[in-house]
Amino acid sequence: MIQLSHVTYTYPDQPAPALADFSVSIEPGEFVLVVGPSGAGKSTFLRSLNGLVPHFYGGRWAGRAEVFGRDPVVAAPRGMADLVGLVFQDPEAQFVVDTVEDELAFAMENFALPQATMRKRVEEVLDQMNIAHLRNRRISTLSGGEKQRVAIASVLALQPELLVLDEPTSQLDPQAAEEVLIALRHLNEDLGLTVVLSEHRLERVLQYADRVLYLPALGAPSVLDAPRIVAAQLPLVPPLIELGRRLDWRPLPLTIKEGRIHARRLADRALKSDDRATGLQGGASGPRPGSSAPPLFGSVARAVAVSDLHYAYDGHRALRGVNLAVQRGEFVALMGRNGSGKSTLLKQLVGLLKPDQGRVTVFEMDTRQARMEEIIRRVGYVPQHPGALLFSDTLALELAFTRRGHGLPPDPAADQALLARLGLAALVERDPRDLSGGEQQRAALASILVANPDLILLDEPTRGLDYAQKRGLTDLLRGLRAEGCTIIMATHDVELAAACADRVVLMAEGEVVVDGPAREVMSDSQVFASQINKLFRDPRYLVVDDVIQALATRGEGPTNYT
Amino acid sequence: MPSNDTFHPVAWSAWLAAALLPALSTRNPFYLCLTLLAAAVSYLALGRRSALAKSWGAFVRFGAFLWLLTIPFIALTAHHGEIVLFRLPASWPVIGGPITGEALIYGLTGGLSLLALLLVFAVFNVAVDQGRLLRMTPGFIYQAGVVTAIAVAFVPQMVASWQAIREAQQVRGHRLRGVRDLLPLIMPLLVTALERAMQLAESMEARGFGGQVLAASARQRIAEQLAILVGLGALGAGFAGLGFWPGHRVLVGLLLAVGGGALIWAFWDQGRRVRRTRYRRWRWERGDRVVLVVSALAALGWLVAWLARGDWLFFYPYPPYSPWPTFQPALGLLILALAAPGLLLRPDLQHMTT
């Protein structure tokens, strides 16, 4: 049993508490999903379950906690380690040794378990997490999903009663995330392990949870109830639930399977049309809202041309014969598993890497010959980790640095306007490194956009963002696209790609395997399809607005279609 | 546990100690070249088996670059010596004057010891898995062992972060023109490294690291504190003696030994209270024993040379000393024997990677 009563906790040097008069009770064997906006205290709650809060962070703690009969504040993290296993967001950051089997044994060695016991438990967790084939591998050679399963196995070796996971799939591609979640469901259902997991991407996890704990912004009371009940109250939800709520589907579907029953009825009654064979009329088959179709041919209109591009590093062939042409004003989503070559391709486009073979031209500049100064005048690149960019004392100085680098004159008014557009106007004098994850992401974007690039390259821009931040980013990118910017974005986020991209390029093992309009590619794909598309399996419907718009076109209001 | 692609970490540790002695203690180019040769043989035999190996490769190349840079610098700026190779016009600032053979030799030998040091560390880090090394650290320095292992593991991560940061700033128009331009690179690197360190510390804490320590009795505590005091005092006197009493090497050696011994006892006694077990059991194989014995012999040879009358290790090319280094074939052979790991690794296993 997990019981927190009237807990108030404030981090050192922070004026407001991260948890205020917070109480919760979780039964053994439950699978509880923790959701809420960034900064609502999800990570703080998770870390309080094993005493890292307050022991590791310091700060002021008040209230009472009991986790399976132990008080984490008294026992401290070391005293809770055999009871609570904690898995972090970034699997790389939690490994101590570099082979799988040794990593699994690390915690048991700390607890001075006899060698025979350790051997037995290592075998058990290898089987439980289905990673026996990885036992002798170096951790650096594992894929993202494999690493996260090893991280889970390494805490399971102490046979905890409770497994706590802080956004364990946020850095994984859809397939790898699925692997991890299936493993967790197995642990919960077959072994009775209590699981408490926080996650921003509800569409991935909601179906597995017994109950959902919603932590709203500070001040509002938390909610802990059945997923269907909480989902009906959340301000921002996955597309499937949003559609269900807008069309008043009852019971509210949580899974594609549940939603399909409603979708079939809806399609039969309201969306049925004879236009599938004759082209996608009505509905939302055309280009994205706020965009005009880019001219398709002619080198003048071409922003990017990649032909037969090969690139290898450290003996690994990262790109193998990539061909790609992007017209000015297009919005292209690069998708594919971790390590498929997406980031490498982006770096080639901005000239950070030069082709081993083949040719890359950006706005008619050959990246092999053009100087970096010339390329970055037209191309902006936002890397995966905003922390790699931000170093100045204030956001204003950060923008000024980019201006200087590009030889542009200072323009505080323009900088202020850009920050306002990104929702950062109030933070102009703040230290960028003190901002939240979502704010840092936008600050990094601002520090690139200040140079007014014609082509924007984004590498996983929604990593760690909550729904509200993602919606803000989606609106911004659509706005930039409408202004004529060309955007190429590497992402695992299917819903973001569905909401923004005109075109999807699927990559695998350094090759382009599919390249086509977003609607076609996502409808054909089992893995890279949006929730709405999985529901209707119809290229006309990728996002909620497509369905609503189609209903409106047919004179149907969003009434009850149950 | 059998080590199929390398040797026992204790054997490698002995090798490291033996190879470091000449690299740290002499400028004699013969011994330094032999150390370099022995380390290079092992380094090449080990292959580029991991990201760490590659990052060390970069360090070694950087060391070689520095070395090549220092030779002309010293040769052109230090105008002492009797072997005048040629003269530059005295009116030329800094470099004007006689260019001497002694300066050239001094430049050659100075960088050589740095390069030898880097290569020896490169071999050790490529050969020894940090995890295995961590498991070999005895109880009393277990925690220090973990910290060291993590610090070493940070090298490739830092290299990767540096690369990412450099790229990110480059596309913002950043150019490295002077020291002030380092800030946009150093600051994110430091912040990233700190964040990673914090996350790892959190993860280790959550997995019970350092948690099983028994309380010490008052008597035990006093004895340990005394031993640490005596140990530090003796070591301090010993190191001071190295500089001030060059003629009393036996006494200095004794002080160092007593100091080291007292500290080791104190830490060992503290370590007895740390309860932890080991998952891996290492089995000593023939190759491990050979590497250990060869390393012990090389270290012994160095000790004899250090204590010997006339100092076999001393070399300083400028007058009044001879610019031509001496050479003791027996010591040379012992240093060369440090190539044993490279020769003993089986070719089919030399490039094993996982």
Side-chain angles (χ1 to χ4, degrees), chain B residues 192-264:
Chain B
T192 311
L194 267 175
E195 280 172 357
R196 273 188 174 277
M198 290 295 282
Q199 283 173 355
L200 187 59
E202 208 180 0
S203 161
M204 289 168 69
E205 181 100 1
R207 286 197 280 163
F209 175 68
Q212 309 294 312
V213 184
L214 304 172
S217 67
R219 206 173 137 188
Q220 212 174 358
R221 254 202 318 272
I222 290 171
E224 283 165 6
Q225 284 166 354
L226 261 177
I228 289 173
L229 203 67
V230 170
L232 288 177
L235 276 183
F239 282 122
L242 280 176
F244 296 115
W245 314 319
H248 297 83
R249 292 206 166 173
V250 176
L251 176 67
V252 167
L254 207 63
L255 278 170
L256 291 176
V258 167
L263 281 184
I264 287 174

Side-chain angles (χ1 to χ4, degrees), chain A residues 47 57 78 81 93-94 98 101-103 109-110 113 115 118 138 141 347 373 389 398 402 433, chain B residues 129 135 167 169 172 175 187-188 199-200 202-203 206-209 212 276-277 279-281 354:
Chain A
R47 280 160 175 75
Y57 292 92
R78 292 166 186 172
Q94 54 198 307
D98 72 348
E101 210 175 333
D102 290 344
E103 187 65 31
E109 288 181 328
N110 290 333
L113 296 184
Q115 200 202 21
M118 286 197 271
R138 280 179 192 274
T141 65
K347 287 182 187 175
E373 291 89 335
L389 278 177
E398 204 69 66
T402 307
R433 288 158 299 191
Chain B
D129 179 309
R135 276 164 174 70
E167 288 175 353
Q169 303 298 23
R172 293 172 76 188
R175 298 286 171 275
M187 188 62 87
Q199 283 173 355
L200 187 59
E202 208 180 0
S203 161
R207 286 197 280 163
F209 175 68
Q212 309 294 312
R276 66 178 268 277
T277 47
Y279 179 67
R280 301 277 188 197
R281 293 279 156 84
T354 46

